[in-house]
Amino acid sequence: MGYRHHSFDRVRLQIASGIEDSWIAALWQDCVNTTNNRICRWQSPGESGPEVYVKVYRRRPSHGLLKRWRPGRAIKEGNGYLEFSKRGIQTVPLIAWGEERHWGLWQRGVVVTEAIDAITVEEEYTAGENVELLRDTAELLARIHTAGLTHGDPLARNFLATRPDPVPFDLPSWGKLTPSSQREDLIRFLGSMLQLTESRETTQDLLCRYADRIDNLPQTEEDLLQESQNYALRKKQA
């Protein structure tokens, strides 16, 4: 999918080819200017264009000047979708991403992705305890890591339960694979699965699925399982 630069007011976006400027303007008005929602599902009334999810990053009082000079999370997330696609990892289709800045300082950011009619892995497992879906997700995480990338927050709720493979989304924390980032991804993934299934045996099975499809683990299986259990406990107590 190709993208083009589009600017209006103090907003600078990259948008998918074929998306009209008027469509983007209407989306910005409906989902950014007139609501404080972080996520909205949007379909432009009376105009052609995809149904989308719009994620809005807004400035917080805690954001200092240095942070606001740097590219925001919307830029990183949009670039993450591009990098995943470039390396052969299917994600939700990216429609637009970019920022609004005033005097060079970050104000708001948006990431627009096409709406896919699928529930998350967490939701599907909760409804039917489909362990095979969790195994498929573990295999997908191994493919992401084999491609030299990390998700950054690979919780069960951040994958769609699509077929034939789950689809990752919510990528503002993605990065390049290192032993440290691989370890952090695995602890978060396994910890979320332990929270979801309440089964150490199932979580160990998922780690085995992952390990069968990748060259090296960043720690021993026992250490990863213990740290994942600690992670799940911290989240439960939070």
Side-chain angles (χ1 to χ4, degrees), residues 24-40:
I24 285 290
L27 177 148
W28 192 272
Q29 178 62 24
D30 289 350
C31 296
V32 183
N33 284 341
T34 61
T35 178
N36 288 321
N37 294 339
R38 185 168 182 266
I39 302 285
C40 74

Side-chain angles (χ1 to χ4, degrees), residues 62-80:
S62 60
H63 291 164
L65 288 178
L66 182 59
K67 186 178 184 67
R68 293 176 60 203
W69 273 114
R70 296 170 177 166
R73 288 169 68 81
I75 296 297
K76 183 173 183 182
E77 184 165 4
N79 290 338

Side-chain angles (χ1 to χ4, degrees), residues 1 26 28 30 38 41 45 56 58-59 65 68-70 82 84 96 107 117 121 135 163 185 190 193 211 215 221:
M1 183 184 294
W28 192 272
D30 289 350
R38 185 168 182 266
R41 184 164 178 157
V56 184
R58 291 183 170 84
R59 186 181 124 194
L65 288 178
R68 293 176 60 203
W69 273 114
R70 296 170 177 166
L82 293 183
F84 270 53
Q107 297 287 106
D117 286 323
V121 166
R135 294 181 180 129
R163 296 292 183 270
D185 249 18
L190 295 171
M193 293 300 174
D215 292 335
E221 290 190 11

Side-chain angles (χ1 to χ4, degrees), residues 119-130 133 161-163:
I119 60 177
T120 68
V121 166
E122 178 180 84
E123 290 168 331
E124 181 158 323
Y125 180 83
T126 300
E129 297 192 358
N130 182 353
L133 173 64
T162 51
R163 296 292 183 270

Side-chain angles (χ1 to χ4, degrees), residues 4-57:
R4 62 182 177 86
H5 183 73
H6 176 60
S7 302
F8 60 95
D9 298 333
R10 296 185 293 266
V11 181
R12 304 292 181 267
L13 300 174
Q14 296 292 326
I15 64 175
S17 301
I19 298 295
E20 299 292 335
D21 293 354
S22 59
W23 186 90
I24 285 290
L27 177 148
W28 192 272
Q29 178 62 24
D30 289 350
C31 296
V32 183
N33 284 341
T34 61
T35 178
N36 288 321
N37 294 339
R38 185 168 182 266
I39 302 285
C40 74
R41 184 164 178 157
W42 187 80
Q43 175 72 62
S44 176
E47 294 185 33
S48 61
E51 187 172 5
V52 296
Y53 279 108
V54 183
K55 180 192 287 188
V56 184
Y57 292 98

Side-chain angles (χ1 to χ4, degrees), residues 18 51 57 61 72 74 85-87 94 107 116 120 131-132 170 179 190 206 209 221:
E51 187 172 5
Y57 292 98
S85 179
K86 177 182 175 182
R87 302 201 187 195
L94 179 64
Q107 297 287 106
I116 296 177
T120 68
V131 176
E132 196 58 41
D170 199 12
L190 295 171
L206 297 178
R209 280 294 184 109
E221 290 190 11

Side-chain angles (χ1 to χ4, degrees), residues 22-235:
S22 59
W23 186 90
I24 285 290
L27 177 148
W28 192 272
Q29 178 62 24
D30 289 350
C31 296
V32 183
N33 284 341
T34 61
T35 178
N36 288 321
N37 294 339
R38 185 168 182 266
I39 302 285
C40 74
R41 184 164 178 157
W42 187 80
Q43 175 72 62
S44 176
E47 294 185 33
S48 61
E51 187 172 5
V52 296
Y53 279 108
V54 183
K55 180 192 287 188
V56 184
Y57 292 98
R58 291 183 170 84
R59 186 181 124 194
R60 298 178 183 175
S62 60
H63 291 164
L65 288 178
L66 182 59
K67 186 178 184 67
R68 293 176 60 203
W69 273 114
R70 296 170 177 166
R73 288 169 68 81
I75 296 297
K76 183 173 183 182
E77 184 165 4
N79 290 338
Y81 281 112
L82 293 183
E83 192 65 27
F84 270 53
S85 179
K86 177 182 175 182
R87 302 201 187 195
I89 306 297
Q90 181 184 356
T91 64
V92 293
L94 179 64
I95 303 300
W97 75 103
E99 296 179 331
E100 176 188 14
R101 287 180 174 266
H102 184 55
W103 297 109
L105 295 176
W106 180 86
Q107 297 287 106
R108 295 179 291 194
V110 297
V111 178
V112 184
T113 53
E114 188 171 330
I116 296 177
D117 286 323
I119 60 177
T120 68
V121 166
E122 178 180 84
E123 290 168 331
E124 181 158 323
Y125 180 83
T126 300
E129 297 192 358
N130 182 353
V131 176
E132 196 58 41
L133 173 64
L134 304 186
R135 294 181 180 129
D136 290 343
T137 310
E139 292 176 10
L140 172 62
L141 184 62
R143 290 201 299 276
I144 292 171
H145 289 175
T146 300
L149 301 172
T150 54
H151 185 291
D153 197 23
L155 311 183
R157 66 171 182 260
N158 289 333
F159 296 88
L160 293 178
T162 51
R163 296 292 183 270
D165 299 305
V167 167
F169 67 101
D170 199 12
L171 298 176
S173 301
W174 77 282
K176 301 297 178 64
L177 185 75
T178 65
S180 177
S181 63
Q182 180 188 12
R183 171 182 168 277
E184 186 65 25
D185 249 18
L186 272 172
I187 290 170
R188 285 175 176 265
F189 174 76
L190 295 171
S192 79
M193 293 300 174
L194 182 57
Q195 281 187 290
L196 182 63
T197 64
E198 298 182 340
S199 168
R200 184 181 172 93
E201 181 179 343
T202 299
T203 305
Q204 185 171 12
D205 174 61
L206 297 178
L207 177 55
C208 289
R209 280 294 184 109
Y210 171 91
D212 285 345
R213 286 157 179 80
I214 202 159
D215 292 335
N216 296 298
L217 292 176
Q219 284 181 290
T220 66
E221 290 190 11
E222 186 58 37
D223 285 345
L224 286 168
L225 288 170
Q226 183 59 54
E227 292 202 42
S228 300
Q229 184 171 322
N230 295 341
Y231 173 87
L233 182 59
R234 289 195 302 271
K235 289 298 181 180

